[in-house]
Amino acid sequence: MEHLAHAAACYYRSFAVVAAGQGLTLIQGKMLSLLGRPLPMRALAELLGCDASNVTGIVDRLEARGLVRREAAPADRRVKTVVLTPEGEEAVRRIRADIVAGLPGLEQLDDHDRRTLQDLLDRAFPHTTG
Amino acid sequence: MEHLAHAAACYYRSFAVVAAGQGLTLIQGKMLSLLGRPLPMRALAELLGCDASNVTGIVDRLEARGLVRREAAPADRRVKTVVLTPEGEEAVRRIRADIVAGLPGLEQLDDHDRRTLQDLLDRAFPHTTG
DNA sequence: CTCGATGGTTGAGGTCATCAAGCAATAAAT
DNA sequence: ATTTATTGCTTGATGACCTCAACCATCGAG
């Protein structure tokens, strides 16, 4: 049990360090990595588990750095879709690369172990239950 | 890999919800669970991976709620040792109980699976490497 | 005793987080 | 079609977190 706590702490610390290496916050890095495809603000709020008004500020700051762009959705003119700019995509790529580089313990697991770990995590934290 | 991200996110979300259920922040709950034995502020800062000046404020708020107490260390009058009050210990107990209750997926793993998961997490996130 | 290092606090500045209130646009209802 | 309710996003206020620089008190060594 505290093993889980330790693992989660290590993962997030690594993520925070990597994000900080690019002048980003943990939550900003998290948001960028969610933007594999354009998403409306509302969807981001639910994925991040926070208030919509919070997303406004985070996107503001990311937009100010040119990592993200707000686009008006044609179907529903209320929604604003958030899209990664090329610089944003580059940032995501660097974050992913740095993350795996920053978790050397993962590299030492062979394929069988990784599949086992993946399976156990899936069962312990099913995707249906937040 | 994104399985890890998902598991860590689930764990922390659950922790945050449980802590919020007692009017506590995630970081406040984390600090309380670290206080199984008295620790100086400096040690807390390193364990939490944040600045020492940050710990001051968090302990301030916990102390204001009577969950924690600052004690002067006799050996070195500079250091202040943080100690759980009985109410603090009770809060930690409730947090631990609520956490396991809030992760039903963990209950469905048998002993063998749990040992395997524990072993894999230990290897992926060794205790020597923060 | 002086000097440098250490533990903790303070203050300024920025980010995150929630809530209440507001505006614009959609959807539903009579 | 006009009203009504709902939805998506923003704004403002408030509080907690986080870091940095500066500060004070204490310790340790020369």
Side-chain angles (χ1 to χ4, degrees):
Chain A
M1 188 49 176
E2 18 0 290
H3 298 264
L4 241 170
H6 179 252
C10 282
Y11 177 79
Y12 269 125
R13 175 156 356 175
S14 183
F15 200 112
V17 166
V18 162
Q22 312 199 23
L24 294 173
T25 307
L26 185 140
I27 195 78
Q28 291 175 350
K30 240 169 147 182
M31 179 177 285
L32 287 183
S33 13
L34 286 175
L35 287 173
R37 54 172 167 172
L39 289 173
M41 314 277 291
R42 196 85 183 82
L44 284 172
E46 286 182 9
L47 287 172
L48 294 175
C50 67
D51 199 84
S53 65
N54 204 352
V55 175
T56 300
I58 301 174
V59 171
D60 279 351
R61 288 180 278 272
L62 288 177
E63 199 172 25
R65 296 197 190 190
L67 300 176
V68 127
R69 201 174 58 241
R70 277 176 170 95
E71 277 185 5
D76 187 337
R77 281 185 322 198
R78 288 174 298 181
V79 346
K80 294 177 185 171
T81 307
V82 183
V83 190
L84 278 185
T85 63
E87 295 92 331
E89 291 177 7
E90 179 57 25
V92 171
R93 235 168 289 142
R94 267 181 306 204
I95 288 179
R96 283 203 213 284
D98 290 0
I99 281 279
V100 302
L103 293 178
L106 269 186
E107 292 297 323
Q108 294 175 1
L109 298 183
D110 58 26
D111 274 6
H112 172 263
D113 283 345
R114 282 190 220 179
R115 249 192 308 274
T116 307
L117 178 58
Q118 177 173 326
D119 171 60
L120 286 173
L121 288 178
D122 259 6
R123 280 196 281 154
F125 303 96
H127 282 67
T128 59
T129 303
Chain B
M1 188 50 177
E2 60 293 335
H3 298 264
L4 241 171
H6 180 252
C10 283
Y11 177 80
Y12 269 125
R13 174 158 356 177
S14 182
F15 200 113
V17 166
V18 162
Q22 312 200 21
L24 294 173
T25 307
L26 185 140
I27 195 75
Q28 291 175 351
K30 240 169 146 182
M31 178 176 286
L32 288 182
S33 11
L34 285 176
L35 287 173
R37 55 171 168 175
L39 288 174
M41 313 276 292
R42 197 85 181 82
L44 284 171
E46 286 183 8
L47 286 171
L48 294 176
C50 67
D51 198 84
S53 66
N54 203 352
V55 176
T56 298
I58 302 174
V59 171
D60 278 351
R61 289 179 276 270
L62 287 178
E63 199 173 23
R65 296 196 191 190
L67 301 176
V68 127
R69 202 174 58 241
R70 275 175 171 97
E71 278 185 5
D76 187 335
R77 281 186 323 198
R78 286 174 300 181
V79 347
K80 293 176 184 172
T81 308
V82 183
V83 190
L84 278 184
T85 63
E87 294 92 331
E89 292 177 7
E90 179 56 25
V92 170
R93 232 168 293 143
R94 266 180 306 202
I95 288 178
R96 283 203 213 284
D98 290 359
I99 281 279
V100 303
L103 293 178
L106 268 186
E107 292 297 324
Q108 294 175 1
L109 298 183
D110 58 26
D111 276 4
H112 173 264
D113 284 344
R114 283 192 219 178
R115 249 193 307 275
T116 307
L117 178 57
Q118 178 173 327
D119 171 59
L120 286 173
L121 289 177
D122 260 6
R123 280 196 280 153
F125 303 95
H127 282 66
T128 59
T129 302

